[in-house]
Amino acid sequence: MNITIIDTKSANLNSVLQAIKRIDNVNVKISCDLTELEHSDKLILPGVGTASAIMDGIKDNDLYDFILNTKKDTLGICLGMQVLATRSQEVPLNSDIDFIDTLNIVPCDVIFMQKDNLTLPHMGWNTVEHDNHPLFKDIKSNTFFYFVHSYCIKDNAYTIGRCTYGQTFSAAICRDNFIGVQFHPEKSGAQGLKLLENFIKL
């Protein structure tokens, strides 16, 4: 099994790489080369930073059309999940726009989380209630995963996992061959590694 972590030049990808290396019978690399991406069995799209930075990286490295049209199973992690949405409220500083366009693979918006009396970013361990999607095979509902984010996708028709922090939001989404998780499986211990194994076995 050949896995490629898509390099958008906007994320520290090593933690995802090291997690995948712990899974048996998997070859994993980091690349933005379209030939290497085409020859991969599955793809992972991580993200750290801002929505505009990762979208710039996707476009600057000629990845936009490839990602939109790929039929390979693709896992978006954290910001990599958020850019699967239609648009995001995470606009550049001092911008006069309300949203930036993202990949529009999953028809939904990324919004700033409701703060109430809670601290943002939502950082640390929280439980995920899931719908028994194969991504969560042998992972109990309400298992803890590790989160770091201030923006979220509301619960919607494509939600397969939910978390609550001031509001209930999508912890995992799925549309066709695209899956996204808001949490960081690579930082979530044994259960996170199990989820990555499940993705590889889909």
Side-chain angles (χ1 to χ4, degrees):
M1 178 69 70
N2 294 309
I3 308 295
T4 300
I5 300 168
I6 301 174
D7 186 3
T8 63
K9 311 299 181 183
S10 63
N12 179 1
L13 308 177
N14 188 59
S15 58
V16 179
L17 177 70
Q18 296 306 319
I20 300 295
K21 282 184 174 180
R22 295 172 60 190
I23 300 173
D24 293 336
N25 302 314
V26 173
N27 298 311
V28 59
K29 66 176 68 173
I30 297 169
S31 181
C32 60
D33 181 87
L34 290 175
T35 300
E36 292 186 339
L37 296 175
E38 287 283 8
H39 286 88
S40 297
D41 297 305
K42 294 179 187 286
L43 304 169
I44 297 179
L45 178 63
V48 175
T50 66
S52 57
I54 193 171
M55 288 304 300
D56 286 345
I58 287 170
K59 292 172 183 176
D60 292 347
N61 290 282
D62 297 322
L63 300 171
Y64 188 87
D65 289 339
F66 171 80
I67 294 173
L68 285 184
N69 294 303
T70 187
K71 301 303 179 186
K72 302 176 188 295
D73 289 337
T74 301
L75 176 66
I77 296 175
C78 194
L79 187 56
M81 166 179 144
Q82 292 183 4
V83 297
L84 298 179
T86 302
R87 57 184 189 165
S88 173
Q89 277 189 333
E90 190 179 15
V91 301
L93 289 174
N94 302 316
S95 173
D96 60 357
I97 59 175
D98 296 323
F99 288 90
I100 64 163
D101 292 333
T102 45
L103 291 168
N104 196 26
I105 291 168
V106 181
C108 57
D109 290 344
V110 177
I111 61 169
F112 190 65
M113 296 182 73
Q114 296 173 6
K115 218 173 158 181
D116 297 326
N117 294 319
L118 300 172
T119 300
L120 290 180
H122 170 212
M123 181 182 296
W125 296 86
N126 208 337
T127 55
V128 173
E129 175 197 1
H130 65 74
D131 295 345
N132 294 314
H133 184 278
L135 183 70
F136 291 98
K137 182 180 179 183
D138 297 326
I139 298 173
K140 293 181 179 179
S141 195
N142 294 312
T143 289
F144 282 88
F145 290 92
Y146 188 81
F147 291 82
V148 183
H149 64 117
S150 297
Y151 293 81
C152 70
I153 294 172
K154 289 183 178 180
D155 193 348
N156 63 75
Y158 300 96
T159 300
I160 59 172
R162 297 160 189 82
C163 181
T164 299
Y165 183 76
Q167 67 193 98
T168 298
F169 60 88
S170 295
I173 57 175
C174 179
R175 185 181 188 192
D176 301 326
N177 56 304
F178 291 92
I179 296 175
V181 291
Q182 182 61 68
F183 51 85
H184 287 270
E186 77 280 9
K187 297 180 180 179
S188 296
Q191 295 304 309
L193 190 62
K194 176 61 179 172
L195 184 138
L196 292 171
E197 291 176 344
N198 289 343
F199 168 71
I200 288 167
K201 292 176 181 178
L202 290 176

